[in-house]
Amino acid sequence: MNQLEVIKQNVIKCTKCDLCKTRTNSVPGKGNFQSDVIFVGEAPGRNEDKNGEPFVGAAGKKLSAALEGAGISREEVYITNVVKCRPPNNRVPNTKERDTCKKYLKEEISIIKPKIICVLGNTAFNSILGGSEITKFRGKLVRKDSQLYFLTIHPAATIYNQELISTLNEDIVKLFDLIRELKNNKTVSIDIEYSS
Ligand code: URA
Ligand code: SF4
C-alpha cells in the first residue's frame, strides 16, 4: 500500500473527532499523487458525504469547470479538504475539528510535495494560514516556510453569484500559469510572505 493509501484508510476509519458520529462516509483526498498542486476546500457537503469523494456536488462542478477552462482535467490534480467528514447541516467546522483533522492534510502535503497549495475559500485560508477575508487576498501568491500557497475563493461561492465565476476561472488560469513558470525555473513574484 502506498503512503497516500495508508492515509486514506486511516481517514476512512477515523474517530478522532465527533464528526465521525454523524457522517455517512469519511471523505479522503483524491487525485494524482504526483500533482504539482493540491486544492484544499473546507469540508465535505451532502454529496461528498454520500459518495466518499471530495468536490462531487455543485461546488465540485464549478471547480471542474474552472480547471477545464485552464486546460486541466481533475485527474491531473489532487483535491482534498481541511476536514474530512461532513459537519451536520454543512455548518463551518469548528476549531477543534479543524485542528484534529489537519494532521491528515499535513501528511498529504508532505507526501505529494506540491509546488503550490491552492487554498479555496475562507475556512481553508483561516485553517492553513490564519488568514481571513479571502476576497481581499484572492489571486495572490503566498510563501510561508518555503511552501507556496495560492489563494482563491471557494467554488461554492460562485453557485449563486455569476460574477464570481469569472473571478474563480481567472484565478485558476493564473495558478497554472504560475506552476508553468515554476516548472520552467522562472522566478515568480511572491505577493505575501508569512512568517511562522
Ligand atoms: N465544499 C468543500 O469545501 N469541499 C467539498 O469537498 C465539497 C464542497
Ligand atoms: Fe477524523 Fe477528520 Fe473525520 Fe474528525 S473529521 S473523524 S478528525 S477524519
Side-chain angles (χ1 to χ4, degrees):
M1 221 179 346
N2 71 38
Q3 289 168 292
L4 277 170
E5 190 59 32
V6 172
I7 299 174
K8 184 175 168 183
Q9 294 309 323
N10 288 338
V11 166
I12 287 171
K13 61 172 193 261
C14 181
T15 54
K16 286 187 197 296
C17 85
D18 282 348
L19 293 180
C20 72
K21 295 180 187 160
T22 46
R23 74 180 176 219
T24 312
N25 291 295
S26 308
V27 179
K30 187 164 189 251
N32 175 9
F33 66 94
Q34 294 179 318
S35 177
D36 296 315
V37 55
I38 297 183
F39 288 88
V40 188
E42 175 177 303
R46 184 191 298 275
N47 286 290
E48 292 77 20
D49 176 69
K50 208 186 277 177
N51 292 291
E53 289 187 17
F55 282 97
V56 289
K61 284 207 181 88
K62 301 293 183 192
L63 178 59
S64 295
L67 287 170
E68 263 169 46
I72 304 291
S73 74
R74 269 180 82 121
E75 290 65 40
E76 291 175 65
V77 300
Y78 189 86
I79 302 174
T80 193
N81 285 296
V82 173
V83 164
K84 287 5 184 196
C85 301
R86 182 193 185 202
N89 302 315
N90 295 348
R91 65 162 170 76
V92 176
N94 64 36
T95 311
K96 195 173 166 207
E97 292 155 357
R98 294 190 222 174
D99 289 349
T100 311
C101 208
K102 231 159 66 178
K103 88 176 195 91
Y104 295 118
L105 177 61
K106 285 200 181 124
E107 291 171 0
E108 290 169 296
I109 294 167
S110 72
I111 293 165
I112 296 171
K113 299 185 181 67
K115 293 199 188 323
I116 301 184
I117 295 168
C118 183
V119 175
L120 299 169
N122 265 317
T123 301
F125 187 26
N126 186 256
S127 306
I128 298 170
L129 292 166
S132 59
E133 297 187 272
I134 192 86
T135 46
K136 281 194 192 160
F137 295 103
R138 56 143 283 268
K140 295 199 187 303
L141 187 64
V142 171
R143 185 165 54 198
K144 185 187 181 194
D145 300 333
S146 72
Q147 173 70 57
L148 294 178
Y149 299 84
F150 182 78
L151 309 178
T152 190
I153 56 171
H154 194 290
T158 71
I159 295 170
Y160 300 107
N161 187 335
Q162 291 295 315
E163 281 170 33
L164 288 180
I165 291 181
S166 45
T167 303
L168 178 67
N169 292 350
E170 283 163 24
D171 282 355
I172 299 298
V173 168
K174 181 176 175 189
L175 166 65
F176 285 97
D177 284 346
L178 286 166
I179 289 171
R180 230 166 276 126
E181 285 169 22
L182 289 167
K183 286 175 101 166
N184 291 328
N185 292 318
K186 298 219 175 95
T187 33
V188 293
S189 64
I190 312 291
D191 299 304
I192 310 170
E193 291 274 2
Y194 271 63
S195 53
S196 52

